[in-house]
């Protein structure tokens, strides 16, 4: 009688849905990459558009790994195939290469009514799943991949959430604990909050280039066992926001740990093509698991994720992605398929884009040369920008930046003077949030405070993408340097 | 043994494991409790043993994730539209391909509203613009009409880096939200629509699940109850199960053409108040699977009821262009709400949903859609924006397509004639098929079918002989599932049993789409007729 009581009191009809009656798990969700600082950046942008004045002429959004928004050009071949799939009348156009037409025909043959506008099977278009399995097998030098273990997703985020959803169960001390790196990509913490699972932090070692330390995994696991049931370990490799690339030895250690402690492994490998440091190489968890022998390969439950949004294509808007599930209980797999079917299917254009990524032009094809040239030019520029960012940031007193071995971000540590820390606390704000807000207001540069990703107590960071063009990136880094020096002066009383 | 020693063991053996692997075929069984650990030094085995006795568990590394340990809510989810019958249909298709003999040549999937899969052609203008957005080099191609190019340019200009490959804002592309608001305003005879209230979604399903997620709270008797029609579209029951909310059924009146009866709403609400907190009322109009189109009067009554009982309204209006019956007209909840005056329009919290998947375009694969939220508490709206931001954004191509649906070619534009012809062709064919389906089904003794006033489905009632019901029950199957399975095996026609949508006890139905081309539909309906007669004979 809640509602009628309200009216009897003669009060106004209260809203059915208020902050007090909202799903409390939704309230607990935080997602800094699009959080308050980004909302502020949007406001400033609009203000500038409307003729307002600021000490800068444009907002540079270095908050999110959105390559095209930063001016990166799409890979021609990928867009040609997707355009052909979208408007098959173009098959008659001589301006489209045969290689692209062949791929488009193949994809369309796998679609109901040969249209990108039909629903696909919920796990994805069958021929695309087969292409993905073939790609994984090739990438992993022959380690077998079964196409029936492949599920297309709406970006990697969707896959990660779906798998977590399956895993979350129990109450109180038997509630599912999810081990995530700190710093982490906040999709993980947000999903954990939304599902009311228990977040179990393991800290990456900043002094050791953000490497994962197996002792820290043990510590974190043992501590968590006191109050929840840790059942999953999430790994992001190459790291987001930290940019480290895991060594094969480290991956072996993690897998052994997961085997010993009976943990489900989720391996976020969306940056697998983004490795820049000459002494680093991407190793997939799947391949390493296989090489550890059947004892491991037949028992460790592993899901790995990939996406169209990163790599050299940067096709975020298409929301394409896939996951491969290994050793999943067949009954659970049936439940997974059922769960996916409620959302019908991932977007077909995204599935088509994913297909091009796993099945790119081959050396004998006409489009190979241009494709290869475009791909190398994107990856070459990223490698250069990774180096440049590290170098310029490390030249600033009070900023220390680990090498950006991979992915798309620098996550430098910043020294914030005690007076600024106090001021932030008085404002009820994280010190690095204060720092980033000031940076935004004064320079137009939008980066995300480290507190949004998690960091060791008393340390402060920010995440910035390395995606702006080289000229723009240089300007941006110069502005960050000037701002930082000014900020230090202001709060250290050294003026 | 210390952790680091343990790690050392592993590393020292990992190379050996490579070699071991080659001799390890077939691989040892996963479930064997005595898995071969011979590759491990003895000390390691001891260490393991110690740990296990600590736990008091069997010396077995079972799966982390099993049906016993998985999320119990997920287990409860049911989604019949892609359920066991559809899985069997896919299997049969494979068997046919492999040359297995069947009493039919192809499987006809009338289980899902998937127009293109049933041979409907895409609207040319939409696909032209989409191709232009995808591959902007085509803007120089003189084969594309100017109006298509203008639309594409406009959409690209509001994308980051002028690329459809950029993330959009989480709420959706600005200009698309403006176009959606303008469309709603035009559709609703000038009632204002605010772009800030528009959220683009990944198909309508995504929007519906998101709003339900916001609304689900409380424990025990205060747990959110969600009122849904029976029969319903199973997305609702599936989401309610997944979210752990409480499903509250209100029954549509089959005798009155599946209309919604306010006294039934009242009954259902009163009953539910005993065990949960009913906070939401979901309406599907035009109805899925039932095909009824709500009258204006009925919508007013529902709104009054929602005000009286303090319910959040969710109006699923994805079939708004699919109205066939004479005398029926689509009325949006928003419009009716505002015409009822400020007393209502300033109070009722309403979210309405639309999609690119249905109507005349049938572009399911693009996963485009939007929702409009009215009177949502601003703080809650901020929470909604935060929640959708975690998923980053709905697919940009789906957003672009949604834009075209709400901003289609206008008189005077080069594409107008073709567009109108294509749209009219689709909608009039659907109207014809709606009529045809009703007519043919109603000639079959034991099948009775309400008029398909709108949407894309007929949901006829079927009379099943007692013996068939008993045989189904003996098999642990719903009787209409038993019926549909037999139909599939004998004719290749894939329908969804009424039990997947919910129905009054003791009644049986199936849902079939009216989407196959007219010739095929006629063949299908006749096969169905024969099957039903045979089935009735066999079990009588």
């Amino acid at each position: 009688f809640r509602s009628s009581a309200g009216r009897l009191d003669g009060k106004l009809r209260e809203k059915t849905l208020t902050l007090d009656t909202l799903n409390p798990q939704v309230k607990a969700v935080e997602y800094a990459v699009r959080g308050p600082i980004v909302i502020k950046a949007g406001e400033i942008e609009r203000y500038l558009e409307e003729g307002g004045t600021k000490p800068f002429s444009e907002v540079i959004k270095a908050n999110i790994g959105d390559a095209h928004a930063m001016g990166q050009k799409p890979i021609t071949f990928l867009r040609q195939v997707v355009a052909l799939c979208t408007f098959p009348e173009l098959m008659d156009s001589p301006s489209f290469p045969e290689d692209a037409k062949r791929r488009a025909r193949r994809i369309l043959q796998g679609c109901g009514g040969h249209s990108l506008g039909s629903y696909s099977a919920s796990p994805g278009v069958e021929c695309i799943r087969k292409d993905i399995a073939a790609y994984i097998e090739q990438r992993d030098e022959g380690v077998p991949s079964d196409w029936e273990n492949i599920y297309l997703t709406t970006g990697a985020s969707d896959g990660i959430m779906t798998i977590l959803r399956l895993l979350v169960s129990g109450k109180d001390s038997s509630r599912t604990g999810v081990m995530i790196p700190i710093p982490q990509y906040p999709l993980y913490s947000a999903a954990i909050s939304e599902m009311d699972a228990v977040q179990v932090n393991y800290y990456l070692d900043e002094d050791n280039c953000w490497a994962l330390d197996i002792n820290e995994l043990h510590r974190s696991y043992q501590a968590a066992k006191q109050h929840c049931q840790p059942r999953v370990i999430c790994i992001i490799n190459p790291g987001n926001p930290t940019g480290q690339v895991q060594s094969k030895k480290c991956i072996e250690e993690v897998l052994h740990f997961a085997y010993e402690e009976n943990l489900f492994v989720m391996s976020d490998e969306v940056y697998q093509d983004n490795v820049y440091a000459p002494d680093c190489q991407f190793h997939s968890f799947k391949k390493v698991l296989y090489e550890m022998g059947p004892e491991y390969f037949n028992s460790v439950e592993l899901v790995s994720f990939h996406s169209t949004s990163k790599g050299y294509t940067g096709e975020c808007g298409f929301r394409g992605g896939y996951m491969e599930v290994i050793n999943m209980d067949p009954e659970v797999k049936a439940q997974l398929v059922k769960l996916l079917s409620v959302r019908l299917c991932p977007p077909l254009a995204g599935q088509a884009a994913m297909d091009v990524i796993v099945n790119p032009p081959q050396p004998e094809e006409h489009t190979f040369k241009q494709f290869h040239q475009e791909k190398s030019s994107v990856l070459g520029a990223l490698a250069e920008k990774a180096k440049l960012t590290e170098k310029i940031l490390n030249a600033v007193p009070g900023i220390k930046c680990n090498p950006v071995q991979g992915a798309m971000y620098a996550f430098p540590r910043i020294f914030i003077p005690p007076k600024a820390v106090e001021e932030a606390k008085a404002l009820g704000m994280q010190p690095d949030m204060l720092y980033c807000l000031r940076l935004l207001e004064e320079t137009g540069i939008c980066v995300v405070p480290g507190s949004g990703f998690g960091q060791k107590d008393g340390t402060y960071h920010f995440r910035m993408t390395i995606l702006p063009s080289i000229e723009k990136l240089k300007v941006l880094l110069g502005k960050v340097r000037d701002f930082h020096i000014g900020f230090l002066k202001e709060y250290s009383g050294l003026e | 043994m210390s952790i680091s020693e343990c790690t050392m063991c592993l590393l020292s053996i990992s190379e050996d494991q490579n070699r071991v692997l080659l001799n390890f075929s077939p691989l040892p069984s996963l479930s064997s409790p005595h898995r071969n650990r011979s590759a491990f030094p003895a000390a390691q085995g001891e260490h393991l043993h110690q740990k296990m006795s600590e736990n008091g568990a069997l010396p077995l590394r079972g799966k982390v994730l099993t049906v016993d340990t998985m999320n119990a809510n997920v287990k409860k989810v049911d989604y019949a539209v892609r359920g066991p019958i559809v899985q069997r249909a896919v299997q049969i298709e494979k068997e046919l391909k492999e040359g297995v003999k069947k009493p039919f040549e192809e499987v006809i999937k009338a289980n899902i509203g998937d127009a293109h899969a049933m041979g409907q052609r895409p609207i040319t203008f939409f696909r032209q613009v989409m191709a232009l957005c995808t591959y902007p080099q085509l803007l120089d191609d003189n084969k594309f009409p100017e109006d298509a190019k203008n639309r594409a340019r406009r959409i690209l200009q509001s994308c980051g880096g002028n690329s459809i490959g950029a993330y959009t804002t989480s709420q959706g592309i600005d200009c698309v939200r403006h176009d959606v608001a303008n469309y709603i305003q035009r559709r609703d005879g000038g009632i204002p629509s605010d772009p800030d209230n528009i959220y683009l979604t990944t198909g309508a399903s995504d929007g519906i699940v998101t709003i339900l997620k916001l609304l689900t709270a409380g424990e025990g008797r205060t747990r959110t109850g969600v009122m849904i029609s029976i029969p319903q579209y199973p997305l609702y029951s599936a989401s309610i199960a997944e979210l752990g909310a409480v499903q509250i059924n209100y029954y549509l009146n089959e005798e009155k053409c599946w209309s919604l009866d306010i006294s039934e709403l009242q009954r259902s609400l009163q009953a539910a108040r005993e065990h949960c907190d009913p906070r939401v009322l979901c309406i599907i109009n035009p109805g899925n699977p039932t095909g009824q189109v709500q009258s204006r009067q009925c919508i007013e009554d529902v709104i009054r009821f929602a005000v009286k009982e303090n319910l959040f309204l969710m109006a699923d209006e994805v079939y708004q262009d699919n109205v066939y019956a004479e005398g029926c007209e689509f009325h949006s909840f928003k419009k009716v709400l505002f015409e009822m005056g400020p007393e209502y329009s300033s109070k009722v919290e309403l979210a309405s949903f639309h999609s690119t998947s249905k109507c005349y375009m049938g572009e399911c694969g693009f996963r485009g859609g939007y929702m409009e939220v009215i009177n949502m508490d601003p703080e809650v709206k901020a929470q909604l924006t935060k929640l959708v931001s975690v998923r980053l954004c709905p697919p940009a191509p789906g957003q672009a397509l949604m834009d075209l649906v709400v901003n289609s070619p206008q008189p005077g534009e080069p594409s107008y004639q073709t567009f109108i012809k294509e749209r009219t062709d689709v909608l009039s064919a659907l109207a014809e098929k709606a009529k045809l389906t009703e007519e043919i089904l109603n000639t079959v003794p034991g099948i009775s079918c309400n008029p398909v006033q709108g949407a894309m489905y007929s949901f006829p009632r079927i009379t099943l002989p007692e013996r068939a019901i008993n045989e189904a029950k003996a098999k642990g199957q719903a009787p209409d599932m038993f019926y549909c399975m037999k139909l599939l095996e004998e004719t290749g026609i894939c329908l969804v049993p009424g039990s997947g949508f919910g129905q009054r006890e003791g009644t049986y139905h199936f849902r079939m789409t009216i989407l196959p081309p007219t010739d095929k539909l006629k063949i299908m309906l006749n096969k169905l007729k024969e099957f039903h007669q045979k089935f009735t004979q066999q079990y009588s």
Side-chain angles (χ1 to χ4, degrees), chain B residues 108 221 253 274 320 329 348 380 388 399 405 423 518 530:
Chain B
I108 306 178
R221 279 193 63 173
N253 188 343
E274 303 297 317
Q320 56 188 268
E329 203 188 325
V348 176
V380 174
V388 296
Q399 296 188 46
V405 172
R423 185 175 78 173
T518 308
E530 281 170 34

Side-chain angles (χ1 to χ4, degrees), chain A residues 187-342:
Chain A
L187 165 70
Y188 291 91
S189 51
I192 290 167
S193 299
E194 193 188 313
M195 296 172 200
D196 205 16
V198 181
Q199 178 173 326
V200 179
N201 296 337
Y202 65 88
Y203 288 85
L204 300 176
D205 185 359
E206 181 163 18
D207 298 331
N208 200 0
C209 214
W210 296 116
L212 189 159
D213 179 1
I214 203 75
N215 294 317
E216 168 60 11
L217 282 189
H218 282 281
R219 181 207 61 77
S220 144
Y221 175 80
Q222 292 303 336
K225 257 173 60 178
Q226 309 301 320
H227 63 276
C228 70
Q229 193 187 346
R231 296 176 70 203
V232 205
I233 179 165
C234 302
I235 306 281
I236 313 173
N237 176 46
N240 174 7
T242 38
Q244 83 287 13
V245 176
Q246 274 186 309
S247 69
K248 187 165 178 238
K249 173 169 168 287
C250 176
I251 296 173
E252 279 175 358
E253 287 174 353
V254 171
L255 286 169
H256 179 66
F257 171 76
Y259 175 92
E260 291 283 278
E261 304 296 359
N262 218 14
L263 294 170
F264 191 105
V265 181
M266 291 174 64
S267 174
D268 178 341
E269 299 178 340
V270 300
Y271 296 100
Q272 57 189 267
D273 286 329
N274 299 102
V275 175
Y276 315 120
D279 51 340
C280 289
Q281 200 192 330
F282 169 73
H283 303 277
S284 78
F285 267 64
K286 163 105 181 281
K287 179 165 184 256
V288 175
L289 184 66
Y290 188 82
E291 289 171 355
M292 286 168 76
E295 185 69 21
Y296 292 89
F297 189 61
N298 288 324
S299 71
V300 175
E301 294 152 81
L302 167 70
V303 182
S304 47
F305 304 90
H306 197 13
S307 153
T308 60
S309 306
K310 311 299 167 186
Y312 54 91
T313 53
E315 295 282 10
C316 311
F318 282 90
R319 313 308 297 121
Y322 73 77
M323 56 186 176
E324 183 185 27
V325 303
I326 311 284
N327 291 321
M328 184 176 267
D329 183 291
E331 284 181 301
V332 175
K333 234 164 120 176
Q335 295 284 330
L336 169 63
V337 173
K338 180 190 73 178
L339 185 63
L340 294 173
S341 76
V342 180

Side-chain angles (χ1 to χ4, degrees), chain B residues 436-455:
Chain B
L436 185 80
T437 304
E438 179 200 344
E439 268 170 26
I440 300 187
L441 287 177
N442 277 329
T443 63
V444 186
I447 296 188
S448 107
C449 178
N450 268 322
V452 182
Q453 297 173 337

Side-chain angles (χ1 to χ4, degrees), chain B residues 236-275:
Chain B
Y236 290 91
S237 50
S239 314
I240 291 168
E242 195 187 318
L243 293 167
V246 181
Q247 176 174 328
I248 305 173
N249 298 337
Y250 65 88
Y251 289 85
L252 301 176
N253 188 343
E254 182 162 16
E255 278 67 45
K256 274 202 197 152
C257 214
W258 295 116
S259 65
L260 190 159
D261 188 356
I262 295 297
S263 57
E264 166 61 10
L265 282 186
Q266 195 67 57
R267 178 207 64 76
S268 135
L269 182 83
Q270 287 318 110
R273 284 237 164 98
E274 303 297 317
H275 62 275

Side-chain angles (χ1 to χ4, degrees), chain A residues 34-54 56-61 440-441 444 446, chain B residues 158 168-175 177-178 194-197 381 385:
Chain A
R34 293 201 158 188
I37 201 133
V38 184
I39 294 169
K40 184 84 197 157
E43 282 167 18
I44 295 178
E45 249 179 350
R46 239 164 295 148
Y47 174 78
L48 286 173
E49 265 167 35
E50 286 157 9
T53 52
K54 286 275 172 190
F56 47 87
S57 54
E58 62 163 340
V59 172
I60 306 178
K61 287 194 184 154
L440 174 65
E441 294 281 2
C446 178
Chain B
S158 37
T168 73
T169 57
S170 303
Q171 202 172 341
I173 301 172
D174 254 17
C175 87
R177 288 193 290 122
H178 278 88
D194 181 351
D196 281 344
N197 290 338
K381 228 165 118 181
T385 305

